[in-house]
Amino acid sequence: MSRLVVVSNRVPMPAKDGSAAAGGLAVALQAALQERGGIWMGWSGESSGDREPGPLSQLQKGNITYALTDLTDTDVEEYYRGFANRVLWPICHYRLDLAEYGRKEMAGYFRVNRFFAHRLAPMIEPDDIIWVHDYHLIPLAAELRQMGLKNRIGFFLHIPWPPADILVTMPVHEEIMRGLSHYDVVGFQTDYDLQNFAGYLRREGIGDDLGNGLFDSHGRIFKAGAYPIGIETAGFAEFAERAANHIMVQKTRRSVEGRDMIIGVDRLDYSKGIIQRLEAFETFLTSNPAYQNKVTYLQVTPKSRSEVPEYEHMQKMVAEQAGRVNGAIGTVDWVPIRYVNRSISRNVLAGLYRLATIGLVTPLRDGMNLVAKEYVAAQDPDRPGVLVLSRFAGAARELKGALLVNPYDVEGTANAIAKGLAMSLEERRDRWSMMMEHLLTHDVSLWCENFLRDLVLAPELQPERDSLIVS
């Protein structure tokens, strides 16, 4: 069996006892690496300042070698904070107004990908399978091919892929698409993302859809497909059941006793629709005064990328809006919105999901959104809650039992909250069962297996090119 080499911007290091880092993705990838033996390489999160980064820091745990590299201050500013998070992230989330183009940042993005390739290449053996993750590292395969590597290389995008009209606003859109053509398998979260990808190739005249998921572009044949990422469903369900007895969850249960709880859990990001969600909750309370003092909304929003001005401004906006609603509608013994601006451990979150009558997951745009899947998996089968889900989250393509909403429609989302709270137990069970059955089958292990299976078969694609051209 070929070794597996995983490359991502950041690497979830295992705990000191050797157990996998929290999160379904880390669990699945570490299991695949442990089975095959291999390497997980990425940025350490540390800076070497003005000095050139030292040698790779390597840690061996079982069959897995964790290989970490520092980056210079310039690299972090241009590659990570610059092009990745201030160009690619907003473009892929349909926010042209927030994309800040700069030639220096673009050059830094490609330079750091070249740096990653030069650090990775000496560790690669001829039959290794390489799996690259997310938007930070799109050019990596092209750099490795330039160095002569002929290995099977796959790429998975965890965030949305935009339509051609949006993508072409990026000055280096051609280089980005050329970079993707150097992979053997390109994976997206949903069929909509795949359609956007194929639409760009067709519209720009730089590729052909050969059918059966095969594409011909820039002189290479590769597979592109939708591989919706899952969670470790069965394990998370057991985890949530145990977490219900956690002291923090029990304290929360007592504090909301006699009231329904609604929960939202998001990283602080403009793509998550938190402002619109708070407006929808306020609209729900003012339109349904009978629910005042009978429902509490808990919004958990850890800070993220606080060094980027847009995020710092948003943090202030969310806090002010929550405070305004609480001041206008709250009473001495009832705070409508509980806003927590820090991380909460995964076991506490699992218990809070199970406690909540409604899971409010309303991003303006999201590749998948695993919070939606975790909320469903965490529910008590006898008394499950209701998932209110944005139609613009990738999860909406799978979770047919959710109440789908347009997060830009504040009144529509408010009405969905009211519908969820009034929903009969029988309907809640029917909707939950449908979603849970899907999640148990389509878990993160199946996602990993499906992608790696197609990547293992990838060497058969290039020889097939000749017969396709002849015919």
Side-chain angles (χ1 to χ4, degrees), residues 4 15 23 76 111 121 128 168 194 232 278 280 326 328 337 345 373 383-384 436 469:
L4 177 61
V76 174
R111 181 186 68 246
D128 283 349
V168 296
L194 179 60
E232 73 285 27
L278 292 173
N326 286 337
I337 300 174
S345 66
K373 295 187 174 184
R383 300 190 63 80
M436 190 62 173
I469 292 173

Side-chain angles (χ1 to χ4, degrees), residues 207-279:
D208 295 316
D209 185 343
L210 305 176
N212 297 319
L214 299 182
F215 293 85
D216 187 353
S217 181
H218 296 95
R220 295 193 82 253
I221 284 184
F222 56 93
K223 180 179 177 63
Y227 302 85
I229 193 169
I231 62 170
E232 73 285 27
T233 311
F236 194 82
E238 294 176 9
F239 189 53
E241 187 175 5
R242 293 195 304 270
N245 296 318
H246 191 285
I247 186 170
M248 185 60 67
V249 177
Q250 293 285 8
K251 285 175 68 175
T252 305
R253 183 191 299 277
R254 289 192 293 272
S255 72
V256 297
E257 196 160 357
R259 299 187 180 101
D260 287 302
M261 190 175 89
I262 298 172
I263 191 167
V265 178
D266 310 84
R267 186 170 49 79
L268 185 66
D269 189 277
Y270 49 76
S271 67
K272 301 301 183 183
I274 300 171
I275 297 294
Q276 291 83 351
R277 192 182 311 161
L278 292 173
E279 291 177 1

Side-chain angles (χ1 to χ4, degrees), residues 12-14 19-21 25-35 40 64 66:
M13 297 297 289
S19 61
L25 175 64
V27 170
L29 290 179
Q30 286 177 336
L33 281 162
Q34 194 67 45
E35 179 185 356
W40 196 334
I64 309 173
Y66 295 89

Side-chain angles (χ1 to χ4, degrees), residues 87-99 101 157 159-167 169 188 190-197 269-271 363-367 391-394 408:
V87 178
L88 281 175
W89 179 270
I91 286 290
C92 287
H93 287 87
Y94 298 56
R95 292 299 303 270
L96 299 180
D97 57 315
L98 296 178
Y101 304 107
L157 184 72
I159 65 176
W161 188 255
D165 276 341
I166 292 178
L167 189 61
T169 64
F188 300 99
T190 71
D191 54 337
Y192 289 165
D193 299 315
L194 179 60
Q195 289 167 15
N196 287 340
F197 175 79
D269 189 277
Y270 49 76
S271 67
L364 303 180
R365 187 71 56 176
D366 219 334
R391 63 184 303 117
F392 304 125
Y408 294 96

Side-chain angles (χ1 to χ4, degrees), residues 135-446:
Y135 61 103
H136 312 83
L137 300 170
I138 291 174
L140 186 59
E143 297 293 345
L144 292 171
R145 302 291 186 208
Q146 187 71 27
M147 298 173 67
L149 270 70
K150 300 185 184 301
N151 300 63
R152 292 151 290 176
I153 311 178
F155 175 82
F156 184 76
L157 184 72
H158 292 258
I159 65 176
W161 188 255
D165 276 341
I166 292 178
L167 189 61
V168 296
T169 64
M170 185 168 52
V172 288
H173 62 93
E174 293 177 352
E175 289 88 338
I176 292 296
M177 290 296 287
R178 186 179 300 113
L180 287 173
S181 72
H182 285 277
Y183 291 94
D184 296 295
V185 178
V186 178
F188 300 99
Q189 293 277 24
T190 71
D191 54 337
Y192 289 165
D193 299 315
L194 179 60
Q195 289 167 15
N196 287 340
F197 175 79
Y200 173 96
L201 294 177
R202 183 172 57 252
R203 186 174 121 170
E204 296 298 304
I206 62 166
D208 295 316
D209 185 343
L210 305 176
N212 297 319
L214 299 182
F215 293 85
D216 187 353
S217 181
H218 296 95
R220 295 193 82 253
I221 284 184
F222 56 93
K223 180 179 177 63
Y227 302 85
I229 193 169
I231 62 170
E232 73 285 27
T233 311
F236 194 82
E238 294 176 9
F239 189 53
E241 187 175 5
R242 293 195 304 270
N245 296 318
H246 191 285
I247 186 170
M248 185 60 67
V249 177
Q250 293 285 8
K251 285 175 68 175
T252 305
R253 183 191 299 277
R254 289 192 293 272
S255 72
V256 297
E257 196 160 357
R259 299 187 180 101
D260 287 302
M261 190 175 89
I262 298 172
I263 191 167
V265 178
D266 310 84
R267 186 170 49 79
L268 185 66
D269 189 277
Y270 49 76
S271 67
K272 301 301 183 183
I274 300 171
I275 297 294
Q276 291 83 351
R277 192 182 311 161
L278 292 173
E279 291 177 1
F281 181 67
E282 180 183 15
T283 300
F284 158 73
L285 288 177
T286 54
S287 302
N288 300 273
Y291 276 106
Q292 292 184 19
N293 208 3
K294 292 184 179 178
V295 63
T296 297
Y297 171 33
L298 172 62
Q299 177 63 50
V300 180
T301 306
K303 296 178 184 178
S304 76
R305 303 172 190 160
S306 54
E307 72 280 353
V308 179
E310 292 87 353
Y311 291 88
E312 187 176 353
H313 175 64
M314 185 184 167
Q315 180 181 332
K316 183 180 178 183
M317 284 179 60
V318 172
E320 287 178 351
Q321 188 172 5
R324 181 185 58 76
V325 174
N326 286 337
I329 303 177
T331 61
V332 173
D333 62 342
W334 172 59
V335 178
I337 300 174
R338 297 184 184 181
Y339 176 51
V340 180
N341 193 210
R342 61 180 178 82
S343 296
I344 293 180
S345 66
R346 198 163 182 249
N347 60 329
V348 172
L349 272 181
L352 294 176
Y353 288 145
R354 194 177 180 89
L355 186 59
T357 307
I358 288 182
L360 200 51
V361 184
T362 58
L364 303 180
R365 187 71 56 176
D366 219 334
M368 179 52 63
N369 196 298
L370 297 182
V371 167
K373 295 187 174 184
E374 289 181 345
Y375 175 78
V376 172
Q379 295 309 295
D380 179 347
D382 293 328
R383 300 190 63 80
V386 177
L387 176 63
V388 176
L389 178 63
S390 166
R391 63 184 303 117
F392 304 125
R397 299 295 293 146
E398 299 180 81
L399 301 179
K400 303 304 183 184
L403 296 180
L404 295 186
V405 298
N406 173 0
Y408 294 96
D409 179 2
V410 169
E411 288 189 1
T413 304
N415 291 338
I417 293 172
K419 181 178 179 180
L421 289 172
M423 188 178 293
S424 70
L425 179 58
E426 182 181 8
E427 183 177 353
R428 280 158 44 196
R429 284 174 177 163
D430 287 345
R431 288 174 173 270
W432 175 81
S433 297
M434 183 195 318
M435 294 187 289
M436 190 62 173
E437 184 178 352
H438 177 87
L439 293 181
L440 284 168
T441 303
H442 299 84
D443 65 2
V444 70
S445 297
L446 183 67

